[in-house]
Amino acid sequence: MQIRVRSGGHDYEGLSYISRNPNFVIIDMANLRSISIDTNENTAWVHVGATLGQLYYTISQESRTLAFPGGVCPTVGVGGHFTGGGYGMISRKHGLAVDNIIDAKMINANGEILDRESMGDDLFWAIRGGGGTSFGIVLAFKVKLVVVPETVTVFNVSRTLEQNATQLVHKWQYIFDKIDENLQVRLHLRSVRSPRDGKRTIQVFFVSLFQGRVHDLLPLMQEKFPELGLVEQDCTEMSWIESTLFIAELRDEPLEVLLNRTAQNTPHFKAKSDYVRRPIPEHGLRGIWRFLNQEVENQAELQFSPYGGVLSTFSESETPFPHRSGNIFIIHYLVMWDRATEAERHVDWIRRLYSYMAPYASKSPRAAYFNYRDLDIGMNNEGNTSYKQASAWGFKYFNNNFNRLVRVKTEVDPSNFFRNEQSIPPLSSW
Ligand SMILES: Cc1cc2nc3c(=O)[nH]c(=O)nc-3n(C[C@H](O)[C@H](O)[C@H](O)COP(=O)(O)OP(=O)(O)OC[C@H]3O[C@@H](n4cnc5c(N)ncnc54)[C@H](O)[C@@H]3O)c2cc1C
């Protein structure tokens, strides 16, 4: 029987709870979700069934100045997120989730429970970004907590094409991977109907977190990006934990909403990712606008998240997550729809957009983010898969780290007990 391991259940292709092979079992980790914080050594043991929201909330109950650099969606599970990378609004300063893991407990294919010492360096390396399911079932992670200021500043301002959005996005690409690592300014781009004349336009949201006070943010923005015209009224000072609500668009909710495990009513969706190493020219951006305007308004979104900062100081092979120096930003493509019968049209749209983006994306390989799972880039056979076949998707997610992941897999799970459509194959299987 195939085994599917589910922690938060947010896998984009549902690999934690569905299988083409009807003989499968789901191991649901949701009840294994305790968290213990040690404020003396600024660490936490987090069980995999906890959500990011629960982790952030629990940290905030101990300290206003401790935090963790994980993703922005509170209902995402620790198990999938931490084994696949994990980046968020403070990652330019503090790294990814995987950069802050210092120990783990997992069950291997022989049913043994291992910790960092007994699993050895290779396996401990592999589960920090190479995906958990290929190697076993992770039970818990020990993480370093990071220190943030008592007060941070957030803003979310938007500009339409009529307000120079094309030029702003173009310039943004030259600035925000190099700017002070305390500042993260990500873009959400959507097609909307203008309230003025009812015509379609592109609206770009500049969604930002600054680890500092507004009086330090404004001169920085004025110096580096005066074109946005950011003013004090656009900015709000708050604690880091409040900023997690702001960024998750839960601003008016009480902190306890972070403990809610149920995702907001998510319709059907398909997502993809790309890395950008050279700025996209303005005519390339205008092509993206044409694609966005073809979709139902507000139902498709592109997110541009800048990298750089501390993310670039790690070598490509330090963890399986290879997207380090040289990447200006990641693109997250997303399209949603309401009725299952509409799937084909929307999936076709996102695939066409992805083809259009090829000249502007990273090449050889065209890199993708493992946590934004996309079976379009290649998948395994139902049974065993050759190294060659798995290379189709493996190098995109992991670049040369794929080879080391295959070696680790061959050593720890040669019979391919743990497998799915995009699990690392052992060499013996072919
Ligand atoms: C709304 C939304 C927002 C997101 N925002 C971000 C973001 O800001 N930053 C970011 O980096 N990512 C983000 N993601 C992507 C997210 O990190 C991945 O989808 C992640 O894999 C989800 O983890 P999960 O535990 O919820 O999912 P699951 O579906 O439970 O698991 C995902 C994969 O990991 C495996 N797995 C799960 N638990 C274990 C375990 N204990 N041991 C071994 N293998 C395991 C599963 O089998 C599956 O293959 C977002 C996703 C969504 C849906």
Side-chain angles (χ1 to χ4, degrees):
M1 290 184 109
Q2 281 204 21
I3 290 184
R4 300 282 147 149
V5 186
R6 178 172 64 188
S7 289
H10 281 51
D11 190 294
Y12 280 8
E13 300 274 7
L15 297 194
S16 56
Y17 54 90
I18 54 173
S19 164
R20 277 152 230 263
N21 180 341
N23 293 321
F24 77 104
V25 286
I26 299 175
I27 301 186
D28 192 336
M29 309 301 284
N31 288 330
L32 207 68
R33 58 168 183 263
S34 67
I35 297 173
S36 53
I37 310 264
D38 183 336
T39 47
N40 290 322
E41 54 168 27
N42 287 357
T43 59
W45 268 106
V46 191
H47 282 86
V48 288
T51 58
L52 296 182
Q54 186 193 339
L55 173 60
Y56 300 159
Y57 177 86
T58 312
I59 296 171
S60 75
Q61 298 306 293
E62 298 290 333
S63 162
R64 192 178 157 109
T65 54
L66 288 177
F68 188 73
V72 302
C73 171
T75 53
V76 161
V78 162
H81 190 68
F82 284 21
T83 48
Y87 78 91
M89 296 302 284
I90 57 174
S91 290
R92 293 189 66 249
K93 166 112 183 207
H94 296 292
L96 307 168
V98 290
D99 299 333
N100 292 281
I101 294 174
I102 50 178
D103 203 343
K105 290 213 166 76
M106 70 177 291
I107 302 184
N108 67 9
N110 300 325
E112 297 155 335
I113 297 184
L114 308 173
D115 64 7
R116 177 178 184 165
E117 207 186 328
S118 55
M119 76 177 78
D121 288 346
D122 277 343
L123 184 51
F124 184 61
W125 173 85
I127 58 169
R128 287 175 298 145
T133 8
S134 298
F135 306 99
I137 303 174
V138 182
L139 304 173
F141 285 106
K142 185 177 184 184
V143 295
K144 261 186 315 190
L145 302 178
V146 302
V147 177
V148 289
E150 272 199 30
T151 305
V152 303
T153 307
V154 295
F155 65 88
N156 182 356
V157 297
S158 76
R159 300 287 184 264
T160 61
L161 295 186
E162 296 69 28
Q163 297 165 310
N164 270 345
T166 309
Q167 292 72 19
L168 289 172
V169 175
H170 185 247
K171 177 141 192 227
W172 171 93
Q173 301 176 92
Y174 290 88
I175 296 169
F176 285 94
D177 63 315
K178 298 171 200 75
I179 206 164
D180 181 339
E181 60 198 26
N182 285 302
L183 179 58
Q184 171 79 338
V185 178
R186 64 193 264 179
L187 309 183
H188 294 193
L189 310 109
R190 290 179 209 153
S191 169
V192 296
R193 213 165 270 285
S194 159
R196 238 184 4 192
D197 57 13
K199 290 200 184 121
R200 293 287 285 270
T201 184
I202 302 298
Q203 189 167 20
V204 179
F205 295 83
F206 294 79
V207 182
S208 311
L209 172 70
F210 178 62
Q211 295 179 62
R213 307 289 300 254
V214 67
H215 56 71
D216 291 321
L217 171 63
L218 287 174
L220 179 64
M221 287 295 286
Q222 187 52 35
E223 184 198 335
K224 304 282 185 193
F225 201 41
E227 297 83 350
L228 185 64
L230 188 75
V231 293
E232 188 165 355
Q233 292 70 22
D234 295 324
C235 304
T236 313
E237 293 189 333
M238 54 180 63
S239 64
W240 169 75
I241 193 66
E242 286 160 350
S243 80
T244 65
L245 292 183
F246 179 89
I247 301 293
E249 296 178 15
L250 296 167
R251 187 178 184 171
D252 298 324
E253 304 285 339
L255 277 188
E256 284 63 33
V257 74
L258 293 171
L259 300 175
N260 185 353
R261 297 182 62 83
T262 323
Q264 288 147 340
N265 194 11
T266 322
H268 306 278
F269 75 94
K270 168 80 186 151
K272 292 175 138 340
S273 61
D274 254 328
Y275 282 91
V276 176
R277 299 175 71 90
R278 279 188 306 145
I280 304 171
E282 283 190 21
H283 66 85
L285 295 175
R286 281 193 280 273
I288 300 177
W289 309 159
R290 281 193 290 277
F291 268 95
L292 282 170
N293 281 335
Q294 286 166 14
E295 256 297 340
V296 183
E297 63 223 54
N298 272 317
Q299 293 286 84
E301 180 169 290
L302 266 58
Q303 295 168 357
F304 292 2
S305 298
Y307 273 31
V310 97
L311 292 174
S312 299
T313 65
F314 286 76
S315 77
E316 272 194 24
S317 58
E318 203 149 330
T319 67
F321 179 96
H323 319 289
R324 303 288 186 165
S325 175
N327 289 291
I328 307 177
F329 61 100
I330 180 176
I331 302 182
H332 185 198
Y333 308 88
L334 195 66
V335 61
M336 294 168 277
W337 60 94
D338 295 325
R339 285 190 296 275
T341 48
E342 298 167 8
E344 204 178 313
R345 180 159 67 85
H346 299 286
V347 173
D348 175 63
W349 174 84
I350 201 171
R351 286 178 180 156
R352 284 188 292 109
L353 170 58
Y354 187 71
S355 303
Y356 165 79
M357 290 299 288
Y360 309 116
S362 59
K363 292 171 192 59
S364 309
R366 185 172 179 180
Y369 176 35
F370 182 71
N371 263 344
Y372 293 158
R373 169 109 49 206
D374 179 8
L375 293 182
D376 289 351
I377 66 171
M379 61 179 173
N380 298 340
N381 296 331
E382 182 80 29
N384 285 329
T385 293
S386 69
Y387 165 84
K388 189 157 177 264
Q389 187 176 343
S391 299
W393 54 265
F395 282 91
K396 290 176 185 149
Y397 285 144
F398 306 116
N399 208 358
N400 292 325
N401 294 327
F402 180 62
N403 287 329
R404 183 171 173 195
L405 289 168
V406 171
R407 281 204 302 280
V408 179
K409 172 76 175 181
T410 308
E411 200 173 303
V412 305
D413 184 19
S415 68
N416 208 12
F417 179 72
F418 290 111
R419 62 180 188 278
N420 65 27
E421 286 82 345
Q422 281 183 343
S423 59
I424 307 289
L427 279 178
S428 52
S429 69
W430 57 290

